[in-house]
Amino acid sequence: MNDAADRSPLQSHEQQPADGSAVTAPAPRYGGAPAPATTSSARIVGMVVAALLAFAAVVAAGVWWLWPALGVRPGGWHRGPEAGKGSWSVPYMPTGAEHPQLIRGVWFTDKAVVKALPDGVHAYEPDSGKELWTVRNPDGARLCQASTDSTGDVAVFARGKGDTCSTFVAVDLASGKALWEHTLDADDKVIGAGDKIARSGDTVVVSAAGHRTSALRVADGTLLWKETDELLGGEDCHGTHGNISMGYTGGRRLVRLQSCWNEARDTVYDAVGVDPATGRPQWAYRLGEHGGEAKVLATSPVVVNVPESRDMKQLRPVVLDDDGRLRTRLAGGSDTDRELLTTDGSPAANVQIKGDKIFVVAQSKETDATDNNKMVAWSLTNGQRLWEQRSRGYLQDFYAVASDTDDVLAYMAGNIHDPARLVRFDPATGRQALVRRYAPTPRTAWIGSDPLALVGHGRLYLSAGYVSEKPGQAPKAWQKALISLPAS
Protein backbone atom coordinates (compact mmCIF):
# COMPACT_ATOMS: atom_id res chain seq x y z
CA MET A 1 0.00 0.00 0.00
CA ASN A 2 1.17 3.52 -0.73
CA ASP A 3 1.32 6.27 1.86
CA ALA A 4 -0.90 8.37 -0.40
CA ALA A 5 -3.86 6.11 0.34
CA ASP A 6 -6.67 7.51 2.46
CA ARG A 7 -5.65 7.16 6.11
CA SER A 8 -8.93 8.28 7.68
CA PRO A 9 -10.33 5.74 10.15
CA LEU A 10 -13.42 3.98 8.89
CA GLN A 11 -16.49 4.94 10.84
CA SER A 12 -19.06 2.49 12.18
CA HIS A 13 -22.14 2.93 14.31
CA GLU A 14 -23.40 -0.64 14.18
CA GLN A 15 -21.90 -3.22 16.52
CA GLN A 16 -21.92 -6.97 16.13
CA PRO A 17 -22.58 -9.29 19.08
CA ALA A 18 -19.73 -9.63 21.56
CA ASP A 19 -19.25 -13.30 20.61
CA GLY A 20 -18.34 -12.30 17.08
CA SER A 21 -21.44 -13.77 15.50
CA ALA A 22 -22.61 -12.27 12.25
CA VAL A 23 -25.49 -9.81 12.15
CA THR A 24 -28.15 -11.46 10.04
CA ALA A 25 -29.88 -9.44 7.37
CA PRO A 26 -33.65 -9.05 7.86
CA ALA A 27 -35.48 -11.74 5.92
CA PRO A 28 -38.70 -11.11 3.96
CA ARG A 29 -41.70 -11.87 6.15
CA TYR A 30 -45.16 -12.99 5.27
CA GLY A 31 -47.85 -15.22 6.75
CA GLY A 32 -51.06 -15.13 8.77
CA ALA A 33 -53.41 -17.30 10.77
CA PRO A 34 -53.78 -20.84 9.47
CA ALA A 35 -56.87 -21.50 7.40
CA PRO A 36 -59.67 -23.40 9.09
CA ALA A 37 -59.87 -27.08 8.32
CA THR A 38 -63.18 -26.52 6.53
CA THR A 39 -61.69 -24.12 3.95
CA SER A 40 -62.24 -25.29 0.40
CA SER A 41 -59.38 -26.45 -1.82
CA ALA A 42 -59.91 -23.55 -4.23
CA ARG A 43 -59.68 -21.04 -1.41
CA ILE A 44 -56.52 -22.67 -0.12
CA VAL A 45 -54.95 -22.44 -3.55
CA GLY A 46 -55.99 -18.80 -3.81
CA MET A 47 -54.45 -17.98 -0.44
CA VAL A 48 -51.20 -19.72 -1.32
CA VAL A 49 -50.99 -17.86 -4.62
CA ALA A 50 -51.67 -14.53 -2.87
CA ALA A 51 -49.02 -15.26 -0.27
CA LEU A 52 -46.48 -16.17 -2.93
CA LEU A 53 -47.23 -12.99 -4.85
CA ALA A 54 -46.83 -10.96 -1.69
CA PHE A 55 -43.54 -12.69 -0.94
CA ALA A 56 -42.29 -12.04 -4.48
CA ALA A 57 -43.19 -8.37 -4.15
CA VAL A 58 -41.29 -8.08 -0.87
CA VAL A 59 -38.23 -9.83 -2.35
CA ALA A 60 -38.34 -7.68 -5.47
CA ALA A 61 -38.62 -4.54 -3.38
CA GLY A 62 -35.67 -5.69 -1.29
CA VAL A 63 -33.53 -6.39 -4.35
CA TRP A 64 -34.33 -3.05 -5.96
CA TRP A 65 -33.55 -1.36 -2.64
CA LEU A 66 -30.17 -3.04 -2.35
CA TRP A 67 -28.94 -2.46 -5.89
CA PRO A 68 -29.06 1.37 -5.80
CA ALA A 69 -27.21 1.26 -2.47
CA LEU A 70 -24.29 -0.27 -4.37
CA GLY A 71 -24.52 2.10 -7.32
CA VAL A 72 -25.62 -0.90 -9.39
CA ARG A 73 -28.73 -1.84 -11.33
CA PRO A 74 -30.10 -5.35 -11.81
CA GLY A 75 -28.91 -5.25 -15.43
CA GLY A 76 -25.29 -5.52 -14.28
CA TRP A 77 -22.43 -3.76 -12.55
CA HIS A 78 -21.60 -0.45 -14.20
CA ARG A 79 -18.16 1.06 -14.48
CA GLY A 80 -17.51 4.65 -15.43
CA PRO A 81 -18.95 8.02 -14.47
CA GLU A 82 -22.53 6.76 -14.49
CA ALA A 83 -21.81 4.90 -11.24
CA GLY A 84 -21.03 8.15 -9.41
CA LYS A 85 -19.56 7.38 -6.02
CA GLY A 86 -21.28 3.99 -5.86
CA SER A 87 -19.72 0.84 -7.22
CA TRP A 88 -17.80 0.13 -10.40
CA SER A 89 -15.91 -2.83 -11.77
CA VAL A 90 -13.34 -3.85 -14.37
CA PRO A 91 -14.18 -6.81 -16.66
CA TYR A 92 -12.07 -9.92 -16.29
CA MET A 93 -9.42 -10.23 -18.97
CA PRO A 94 -8.44 -13.82 -19.92
CA THR A 95 -4.78 -14.77 -19.66
CA GLY A 96 -4.91 -17.62 -22.15
CA ALA A 97 -3.73 -20.10 -19.52
CA GLU A 98 -5.93 -22.86 -18.10
CA HIS A 99 -4.57 -22.29 -14.59
CA PRO A 100 -3.38 -18.67 -14.56
CA GLN A 101 -1.10 -17.42 -11.84
CA LEU A 102 -2.73 -15.11 -9.33
CA ILE A 103 -1.29 -11.60 -9.55
CA ARG A 104 -1.66 -9.25 -6.58
CA GLY A 105 -0.74 -5.98 -8.30
CA VAL A 106 -3.11 -3.29 -6.94
CA TRP A 107 -1.50 0.05 -6.06
CA PHE A 108 -2.67 3.49 -4.93
CA THR A 109 -1.48 7.00 -5.73
CA ASP A 110 -2.93 10.37 -4.68
CA LYS A 111 -5.25 10.32 -7.69
CA ALA A 112 -5.63 6.75 -8.86
CA VAL A 113 -6.02 3.08 -8.11
CA VAL A 114 -3.80 1.05 -10.43
CA LYS A 115 -4.35 -2.59 -11.39
CA ALA A 116 -2.04 -5.09 -13.08
CA LEU A 117 -3.98 -6.90 -15.83
CA PRO A 118 -2.82 -9.45 -18.42
CA ASP A 119 -2.38 -6.82 -21.16
CA GLY A 120 -0.57 -4.29 -18.97
CA VAL A 121 -1.05 -1.83 -16.12
CA HIS A 122 -4.25 0.27 -15.94
CA ALA A 123 -5.02 3.30 -13.76
CA TYR A 124 -8.58 4.28 -12.73
CA GLU A 125 -10.15 7.29 -11.06
CA PRO A 126 -11.20 6.02 -7.60
CA ASP A 127 -14.78 7.39 -7.45
CA SER A 128 -15.92 6.83 -11.01
CA GLY A 129 -13.76 4.04 -12.43
CA LYS A 130 -12.80 6.18 -15.40
CA GLU A 131 -9.60 4.91 -17.00
CA LEU A 132 -6.81 7.46 -16.66
CA TRP A 133 -3.90 5.76 -18.44
CA THR A 134 -2.54 2.39 -19.52
CA VAL A 135 0.95 0.94 -19.98
CA ARG A 136 0.32 -1.86 -22.47
CA ASN A 137 2.47 -4.91 -23.13
CA PRO A 138 3.83 -5.58 -26.62
CA ASP A 139 1.66 -7.77 -28.85
CA GLY A 140 1.74 -11.37 -27.73
CA ALA A 141 3.15 -10.60 -24.28
CA ARG A 142 1.25 -11.06 -21.04
CA LEU A 143 1.77 -9.65 -17.57
CA CYS A 144 2.61 -12.60 -15.31
CA GLN A 145 3.76 -11.23 -11.93
CA ALA A 146 3.85 -8.00 -9.92
CA SER A 147 5.25 -6.75 -6.64
CA THR A 148 2.77 -5.43 -4.08
CA ASP A 149 5.27 -2.68 -3.10
CA SER A 150 4.86 0.70 -4.85
CA THR A 151 7.20 2.83 -2.74
CA GLY A 152 7.86 6.18 -4.40
CA ASP A 153 4.92 5.56 -6.77
CA VAL A 154 7.00 3.05 -8.73
CA ALA A 155 5.71 -0.47 -9.36
CA VAL A 156 7.64 -3.41 -10.84
CA PHE A 157 6.01 -6.17 -12.87
CA ALA A 158 7.08 -9.08 -15.09
CA ARG A 159 5.90 -9.95 -18.57
CA GLY A 160 6.70 -12.55 -21.19
CA LYS A 161 5.42 -14.76 -23.98
CA GLY A 162 4.28 -18.36 -23.71
CA ASP A 163 5.80 -20.07 -20.68
CA THR A 164 8.66 -17.56 -20.47
CA CYS A 165 8.30 -14.62 -18.07
CA SER A 166 11.71 -13.03 -17.79
CA THR A 167 11.28 -9.36 -18.72
CA PHE A 168 10.84 -6.97 -15.80
CA VAL A 169 9.41 -3.47 -16.16
CA ALA A 170 9.14 -0.48 -13.80
CA VAL A 171 6.30 2.00 -14.24
CA ASP A 172 5.81 5.46 -12.72
CA LEU A 173 2.31 5.23 -11.23
CA ALA A 174 1.93 9.01 -11.03
CA SER A 175 2.57 9.67 -14.72
CA GLY A 176 1.74 6.33 -16.31
CA LYS A 177 5.15 6.10 -17.98
CA ALA A 178 7.34 3.01 -18.23
CA LEU A 179 10.72 3.82 -16.65
CA TRP A 180 12.84 0.86 -17.74
CA GLU A 181 12.78 -2.82 -18.65
CA HIS A 182 15.32 -5.58 -18.08
CA THR A 183 15.33 -9.10 -19.55
CA LEU A 184 17.17 -11.83 -17.64
CA ASP A 185 19.62 -14.04 -19.51
CA ALA A 186 18.57 -17.68 -19.80
CA ASP A 187 20.69 -20.13 -17.78
CA ASP A 188 20.30 -23.86 -18.46
CA LYS A 189 21.94 -24.68 -15.12
CA VAL A 190 19.19 -22.98 -13.13
CA ILE A 191 15.85 -24.62 -12.39
CA GLY A 192 14.34 -21.73 -10.46
CA ALA A 193 11.06 -21.66 -8.58
CA GLY A 194 8.87 -19.64 -10.90
CA ASP A 195 8.07 -15.98 -11.23
CA LYS A 196 8.92 -13.93 -8.13
CA ILE A 197 9.42 -10.23 -7.46
CA ALA A 198 10.81 -9.34 -4.02
CA ARG A 199 11.25 -5.61 -3.49
CA SER A 200 13.11 -4.06 -0.59
CA GLY A 201 13.56 -0.29 -0.84
CA ASP A 202 15.38 0.64 -4.05
CA THR A 203 16.33 -2.98 -4.77
CA VAL A 204 14.08 -5.51 -6.48
CA VAL A 205 15.10 -9.19 -6.64
CA VAL A 206 13.57 -10.93 -9.66
CA SER A 207 13.30 -14.63 -10.44
CA ALA A 208 12.04 -16.66 -13.39
CA ALA A 209 12.20 -20.36 -14.22
CA GLY A 210 15.35 -21.17 -16.18
CA HIS A 211 16.99 -17.83 -15.30
CA ARG A 212 19.44 -16.87 -12.57
CA THR A 213 17.85 -14.81 -9.79
CA SER A 214 19.09 -11.21 -10.07
CA ALA A 215 18.79 -7.90 -8.22
CA LEU A 216 18.00 -4.63 -10.04
CA ARG A 217 18.00 -1.02 -8.88
CA VAL A 218 14.39 0.21 -8.89
CA ALA A 219 15.34 3.76 -9.87
CA ASP A 220 16.95 2.86 -13.20
CA GLY A 221 16.95 -0.93 -13.71
CA THR A 222 20.73 -1.29 -13.23
CA LEU A 223 21.85 -4.86 -12.48
CA LEU A 224 23.21 -4.91 -8.91
CA TRP A 225 24.05 -8.60 -8.41
CA LYS A 226 23.20 -12.15 -9.43
CA GLU A 227 22.67 -15.09 -7.12
CA THR A 228 25.83 -17.19 -7.03
CA ASP A 229 27.12 -20.18 -5.06
CA GLU A 230 29.35 -17.78 -3.13
CA LEU A 231 26.41 -15.62 -2.00
CA LEU A 232 24.44 -18.73 -1.02
CA GLY A 233 27.32 -20.15 1.04
CA GLY A 234 28.76 -22.72 -1.37
CA GLU A 235 27.83 -25.08 -4.17
CA ASP A 236 25.92 -27.30 -1.75
CA CYS A 237 23.36 -24.54 -1.09
CA HIS A 238 20.31 -23.62 -3.12
CA GLY A 239 18.00 -20.63 -3.05
CA THR A 240 15.21 -20.91 -5.63
CA HIS A 241 16.17 -24.45 -6.65
CA GLY A 242 12.86 -26.06 -7.59
CA ASN A 243 11.00 -25.28 -4.35
CA ILE A 244 8.36 -22.58 -4.70
CA SER A 245 8.56 -21.59 -1.04
CA MET A 246 12.32 -21.08 -1.22
CA GLY A 247 13.74 -17.80 -2.53
CA TYR A 248 13.30 -14.16 -1.56
CA THR A 249 10.61 -12.13 0.20
CA GLY A 250 10.78 -8.35 0.16
CA GLY A 251 9.67 -5.59 2.51
CA ARG A 252 11.56 -3.71 5.21
CA ARG A 253 13.93 -6.68 5.35
CA LEU A 254 15.00 -8.83 2.41
CA VAL A 255 14.77 -12.46 3.53
CA ARG A 256 15.85 -15.60 1.67
CA LEU A 257 14.80 -19.16 2.45
CA GLN A 258 17.43 -21.64 1.32
CA SER A 259 18.53 -25.24 1.70
CA CYS A 260 22.03 -26.70 2.03
CA TRP A 261 23.67 -30.07 2.48
CA ASN A 262 25.69 -30.40 5.68
CA GLU A 263 28.79 -32.53 6.16
CA ALA A 264 26.63 -35.61 6.73
CA ARG A 265 24.87 -34.84 3.42
CA ASP A 266 21.62 -34.14 5.23
CA THR A 267 19.51 -31.22 4.05
CA VAL A 268 19.28 -28.26 6.41
CA TYR A 269 17.16 -25.13 5.97
CA ASP A 270 17.84 -21.51 6.88
CA ALA A 271 16.12 -18.16 6.82
CA VAL A 272 18.78 -15.64 5.78
CA GLY A 273 18.75 -11.87 6.11
CA VAL A 274 20.21 -10.41 2.90
CA ASP A 275 21.80 -7.04 2.20
CA PRO A 276 19.65 -5.77 -0.71
CA ALA A 277 22.51 -3.77 -2.27
CA THR A 278 25.03 -6.64 -2.42
CA GLY A 279 23.11 -9.89 -1.95
CA ARG A 280 25.44 -10.89 0.88
CA PRO A 281 24.03 -12.64 3.96
CA GLN A 282 23.74 -10.61 7.17
CA TRP A 283 22.46 -13.36 9.46
CA ALA A 284 21.02 -16.88 9.31
CA TYR A 285 18.40 -18.67 11.41
CA ARG A 286 18.23 -22.48 11.29
CA LEU A 287 14.64 -23.55 10.59
CA GLY A 288 14.70 -27.13 11.83
CA GLU A 289 13.73 -30.52 10.47
CA HIS A 290 10.69 -29.34 8.52
CA GLY A 291 12.13 -26.06 7.33
CA GLY A 292 11.51 -27.10 3.76
CA GLU A 293 7.86 -26.24 4.33
CA ALA A 294 8.64 -22.85 5.89
CA LYS A 295 7.23 -19.61 4.51
CA VAL A 296 8.01 -15.96 5.21
CA LEU A 297 4.79 -14.31 6.38
CA ALA A 298 6.13 -10.82 7.11
CA THR A 299 9.42 -8.90 7.13
CA SER A 300 8.64 -6.01 9.52
CA PRO A 301 9.42 -7.74 11.84
CA VAL A 302 10.52 -10.98 10.21
CA VAL A 303 7.89 -13.67 10.83
CA VAL A 304 8.49 -17.15 9.44
CA ASN A 305 6.05 -20.02 9.62
CA VAL A 306 7.99 -23.17 10.58
CA PRO A 307 5.80 -26.30 10.78
CA GLU A 308 6.58 -28.88 13.44
CA SER A 309 5.63 -31.71 11.09
CA ARG A 310 5.49 -32.37 7.37
CA ASP A 311 2.04 -30.80 7.36
CA MET A 312 2.92 -27.73 5.31
CA LYS A 313 -0.34 -26.04 6.34
CA GLN A 314 0.43 -26.17 10.06
CA LEU A 315 0.66 -22.65 11.50
CA ARG A 316 3.67 -22.33 13.85
CA PRO A 317 5.20 -18.85 13.32
CA VAL A 318 8.42 -17.62 14.87
CA VAL A 319 9.35 -13.92 15.17
CA LEU A 320 12.98 -12.90 14.60
CA ASP A 321 14.76 -9.74 15.72
CA ASP A 322 16.83 -7.50 13.43
CA ASP A 323 19.87 -9.73 13.94
CA GLY A 324 18.02 -12.91 12.99
CA ARG A 325 17.75 -14.24 16.56
CA LEU A 326 14.58 -15.81 17.90
CA ARG A 327 12.51 -13.05 19.47
CA THR A 328 9.43 -15.12 20.30
CA ARG A 329 7.53 -18.18 19.20
CA LEU A 330 3.80 -17.64 18.75
CA ALA A 331 1.67 -19.96 20.87
CA GLY A 332 0.42 -22.85 18.75
CA GLY A 333 -3.17 -23.93 18.35
CA SER A 334 -5.33 -25.91 15.97
CA ASP A 335 -4.55 -23.52 13.15
CA THR A 336 -3.57 -24.13 9.57
CA ASP A 337 -2.23 -21.58 7.14
CA ARG A 338 -4.53 -20.67 4.26
CA GLU A 339 -1.43 -20.60 2.06
CA LEU A 340 -2.70 -17.38 0.55
CA LEU A 341 0.02 -15.92 -1.64
CA THR A 342 3.18 -16.39 0.37
CA THR A 343 5.39 -17.55 -2.51
CA ASP A 344 5.38 -14.67 -5.02
CA GLY A 345 8.07 -12.54 -3.34
CA SER A 346 5.75 -10.27 -1.31
CA PRO A 347 4.68 -10.76 2.34
CA ALA A 348 1.58 -12.89 2.95
CA ALA A 349 -1.81 -11.41 2.12
CA ASN A 350 -3.58 -13.11 5.05
CA VAL A 351 -1.35 -11.43 7.67
CA GLN A 352 -1.67 -7.97 9.22
CA ILE A 353 0.79 -6.42 11.68
CA LYS A 354 -0.51 -3.46 13.66
CA GLY A 355 1.74 -2.13 16.40
CA ASP A 356 2.94 -5.00 18.57
CA LYS A 357 0.27 -7.45 17.44
CA ILE A 358 -0.03 -9.82 14.51
CA PHE A 359 -3.36 -10.88 13.03
CA VAL A 360 -3.63 -13.93 10.77
CA VAL A 361 -6.58 -15.32 8.85
CA ALA A 362 -6.35 -19.09 9.35
CA GLN A 363 -8.32 -22.33 9.25
CA SER A 364 -9.05 -24.68 12.13
CA LYS A 365 -7.82 -28.25 11.77
CA GLU A 366 -11.02 -29.54 13.32
CA THR A 367 -13.19 -27.54 10.92
CA ASP A 368 -11.34 -27.88 7.62
CA ALA A 369 -14.50 -29.41 6.15
CA THR A 370 -16.66 -26.41 7.07
CA ASP A 371 -17.18 -23.23 5.12
CA ASN A 372 -15.78 -20.90 7.79
CA ASN A 373 -12.37 -19.75 8.95
CA LYS A 374 -11.09 -17.45 11.71
CA MET A 375 -9.02 -14.40 12.58
CA VAL A 376 -6.33 -15.08 15.21
CA ALA A 377 -4.36 -12.46 17.16
CA TRP A 378 -1.01 -12.83 18.95
CA SER A 379 1.34 -10.56 20.87
CA LEU A 380 4.64 -10.15 19.05
CA THR A 381 6.34 -9.41 22.37
CA ASN A 382 5.60 -12.59 24.30
CA GLY A 383 3.90 -14.82 21.69
CA GLN A 384 0.71 -15.00 23.76
CA ARG A 385 -2.41 -15.94 21.87
CA LEU A 386 -4.78 -13.01 22.49
CA TRP A 387 -8.04 -14.06 20.85
CA GLU A 388 -9.63 -15.75 17.87
CA GLN A 389 -12.92 -15.09 16.12
CA ARG A 390 -14.65 -17.59 13.86
CA SER A 391 -16.45 -16.38 10.75
CA ARG A 392 -20.12 -17.29 10.57
CA GLY A 393 -22.68 -17.63 7.86
CA TYR A 394 -23.19 -19.88 4.87
CA LEU A 395 -19.99 -20.10 2.74
CA GLN A 396 -18.60 -17.00 4.45
CA ASP A 397 -14.91 -16.59 5.22
CA PHE A 398 -12.80 -13.72 6.50
CA TYR A 399 -10.39 -12.14 4.01
CA ALA A 400 -7.75 -9.86 5.50
CA VAL A 401 -8.00 -6.29 4.21
CA ALA A 402 -4.74 -4.46 3.50
CA SER A 403 -4.77 -0.84 4.64
CA ASP A 404 -2.42 1.90 5.80
CA THR A 405 -4.59 2.64 8.84
CA ASP A 406 -4.40 1.08 12.30
CA ASP A 407 -7.71 -0.70 11.68
CA VAL A 408 -7.77 -4.50 11.70
CA LEU A 409 -10.21 -5.20 8.89
CA ALA A 410 -11.70 -8.24 7.19
CA TYR A 411 -14.04 -8.66 4.25
CA MET A 412 -16.70 -11.37 4.34
CA ALA A 413 -17.81 -12.34 0.86
CA GLY A 414 -21.55 -12.52 0.30
CA ASN A 415 -23.54 -15.19 -1.45
CA ILE A 416 -27.12 -15.68 -2.64
CA HIS A 417 -28.24 -15.98 1.00
CA ASP A 418 -26.09 -13.59 3.02
CA PRO A 419 -24.92 -10.01 2.47
CA ALA A 420 -21.23 -9.27 2.18
CA ARG A 421 -19.66 -7.32 5.06
CA LEU A 422 -16.67 -5.19 5.90
CA VAL A 423 -15.88 -5.67 9.59
CA ARG A 424 -13.39 -4.21 12.04
CA PHE A 425 -11.84 -6.11 14.97
CA ASP A 426 -10.91 -4.50 18.27
CA PRO A 427 -7.17 -5.31 18.46
CA ALA A 428 -7.31 -6.01 22.20
CA THR A 429 -10.50 -8.08 22.47
CA GLY A 430 -11.40 -9.24 18.97
CA ARG A 431 -14.85 -7.72 19.28
CA GLN A 432 -16.28 -7.08 15.82
CA ALA A 433 -17.92 -3.90 14.55
CA LEU A 434 -19.76 -3.75 11.26
CA VAL A 435 -18.26 -1.07 9.03
CA ARG A 436 -20.55 -1.61 6.05
CA ARG A 437 -23.00 -4.20 4.74
CA TYR A 438 -23.28 -4.96 1.02
CA ALA A 439 -25.89 -6.80 -0.98
CA PRO A 440 -25.74 -10.60 -1.32
CA THR A 441 -23.30 -11.52 -4.09
CA PRO A 442 -25.08 -10.55 -7.32
CA ARG A 443 -25.13 -13.03 -10.17
CA THR A 444 -23.86 -10.27 -12.45
CA ALA A 445 -20.53 -9.68 -10.68
CA TRP A 446 -18.11 -12.33 -9.42
CA ILE A 447 -14.55 -11.77 -8.26
CA GLY A 448 -13.42 -15.40 -8.01
CA SER A 449 -12.45 -17.48 -5.00
CA ASP A 450 -10.07 -15.99 -2.41
CA PRO A 451 -10.47 -12.34 -3.40
CA LEU A 452 -7.75 -9.89 -2.44
CA ALA A 453 -9.20 -7.03 -0.39
CA LEU A 454 -7.67 -3.57 0.05
CA VAL A 455 -8.83 -0.20 1.39
CA GLY A 456 -7.63 3.02 -0.22
CA HIS A 457 -9.15 6.44 -0.93
CA GLY A 458 -11.88 5.53 1.56
CA ARG A 459 -13.07 2.70 -0.71
CA LEU A 460 -12.97 -1.09 -0.60
CA TYR A 461 -11.30 -2.77 -3.57
CA LEU A 462 -11.69 -6.47 -4.36
CA SER A 463 -9.18 -7.93 -6.78
CA ALA A 464 -9.83 -11.22 -8.56
CA GLY A 465 -8.66 -14.40 -6.89
CA TYR A 466 -8.02 -17.71 -8.63
CA VAL A 467 -10.08 -17.97 -11.80
CA SER A 468 -10.22 -21.19 -13.82
CA GLU A 469 -10.02 -20.51 -17.55
CA LYS A 470 -10.67 -22.56 -20.66
CA PRO A 471 -8.22 -21.55 -23.40
CA GLY A 472 -9.95 -20.00 -26.38
CA GLN A 473 -13.17 -19.44 -24.45
CA ALA A 474 -14.24 -15.96 -23.36
CA PRO A 475 -14.85 -15.46 -19.63
CA LYS A 476 -18.39 -15.19 -18.33
CA ALA A 477 -19.87 -11.69 -18.39
CA TRP A 478 -20.17 -11.58 -14.60
CA GLN A 479 -16.48 -12.40 -13.97
CA LYS A 480 -14.63 -9.24 -12.84
CA ALA A 481 -10.96 -8.38 -12.36
CA LEU A 482 -11.53 -5.54 -9.89
CA ILE A 483 -14.58 -4.31 -7.99
CA SER A 484 -14.71 -0.97 -6.15
CA LEU A 485 -17.20 -0.41 -3.32
CA PRO A 486 -17.87 2.34 -0.77
CA ALA A 487 -16.09 1.52 2.49
CA SER A 488 -17.53 3.87 5.11
Side-chain angles (χ1 to χ4, degrees), residues 55 74 76 98 190 257 313 319 321 344 381 413 419 428 437:
F55 172 69
E98 186 172 357
V190 176
L257 296 184
K313 294 184 178 181
V319 183
D321 66 17
D344 61 359
T381 301
R437 179 186 284 112

Side-chain angles (χ1 to χ4, degrees), residues 98-285:
E98 186 172 357
H99 300 290
Q101 185 168 353
L102 198 157
I103 300 170
R104 285 200 269 173
V106 180
W107 309 287
F108 299 103
T109 70
D110 286 337
K111 299 179 179 179
V113 54
V114 187
K115 168 68 175 165
L117 293 171
D119 73 337
V121 174
H122 298 249
Y124 303 96
E125 200 281 322
D127 287 336
S128 69
K130 176 184 177 182
E131 187 162 309
L132 301 176
W133 53 260
T134 302
V135 175
R136 294 194 183 277
N137 295 330
D139 290 343
R142 63 181 176 86
L143 191 151
C144 38
Q145 191 51 273
S147 170
T148 62
D149 189 327
S150 61
T151 301
D153 278 353
V154 176
V156 180
F157 65 92
R159 66 188 179 199
K161 296 183 179 181
D163 295 331
T164 301
C165 188
S166 57
T167 296
F168 296 86
V169 183
V171 60
D172 183 337
L173 300 179
S175 66
K177 303 295 184 183
L179 301 175
W180 52 262
E181 73 172 57
H182 181 101
T183 300
L184 298 181
D185 296 328
D187 190 333
D188 294 338
K189 298 179 180 180
V190 176
I191 297 177
D195 311 324
K196 294 174 179 286
I197 303 178
R199 181 174 175 183
S200 186
D202 195 37
T203 298
V204 59
V205 180
V206 295
S207 305
H211 297 75
R212 189 169 295 277
T213 296
S214 303
L216 310 174
R217 183 183 295 127
V218 174
D220 55 18
T222 298
L223 178 66
L224 298 177
W225 50 268
K226 288 186 177 183
E227 189 177 72
T228 63
D229 291 343
E230 178 193 2
L231 290 180
L232 292 173
E235 61 181 9
D236 288 335
C237 293
H238 307 283
T240 55
H241 188 78
N243 185 333
I244 62 171
S245 66
M246 297 287 105
Y248 296 82
T249 300
R252 188 175 70 88
R253 294 278 178 182
L254 181 62
V255 180
R256 180 177 67 231
L257 296 184
Q258 68 178 55
S259 62
C260 297
W261 288 328
N262 61 17
E263 293 181 357
R265 308 306 288 175
D266 295 324
T267 302
V268 294
Y269 302 94
D270 293 298
V272 180
V274 176
D275 179 355
T278 65
R280 298 195 175 281
Q282 298 172 317
W283 50 259
Y285 175 81

Side-chain angles (χ1 to χ4, degrees), residues 46-60:
M47 292 177 65
V48 169
V49 169
L52 289 174
L53 288 173
F55 172 69
V58 171
V59 172

Side-chain angles (χ1 to χ4, degrees), residues 76-101:
W77 286 67
H78 295 268
R79 57 175 280 204
E82 70 274 14
K85 291 191 176 182
S87 302
W88 54 266
S89 64
V90 176
Y92 183 79
M93 187 180 298
T95 65
E98 186 172 357
H99 300 290
Q101 185 168 353

Side-chain angles (χ1 to χ4, degrees), residues 354-435:
K354 309 287 184 178
D356 197 43
K357 298 181 179 65
I358 184 170
F359 308 88
V360 181
V361 172
Q363 298 286 151
S364 292
K365 276 190 175 182
E366 294 84 357
T367 57
D368 274 346
T370 71
D371 301 316
N372 301 119
N373 63 3
K374 59 185 177 180
M375 179 76 81
V376 186
W378 286 271
S379 164
L380 289 170
T381 301
N382 57 27
Q384 179 183 356
R385 192 184 186 91
L386 302 176
W387 51 262
E388 69 174 62
Q389 289 283 6
R390 283 280 309 279
S391 66
R392 301 176 187 272
Y394 173 70
L395 294 175
Q396 288 200 296
D397 278 345
F398 290 133
Y399 295 94
V401 178
S403 76
D404 281 339
T405 72
D406 292 330
D407 293 310
V408 182
L409 301 170
Y411 171 72
M412 298 181 68
N415 52 62
I416 60 173
H417 301 289
D418 301 301
R421 298 180 179 88
L422 178 63
V423 298
R424 183 195 299 109
F425 296 90
D426 182 295
T429 66
R431 181 180 176 85
Q432 293 177 53
L434 180 67
V435 177

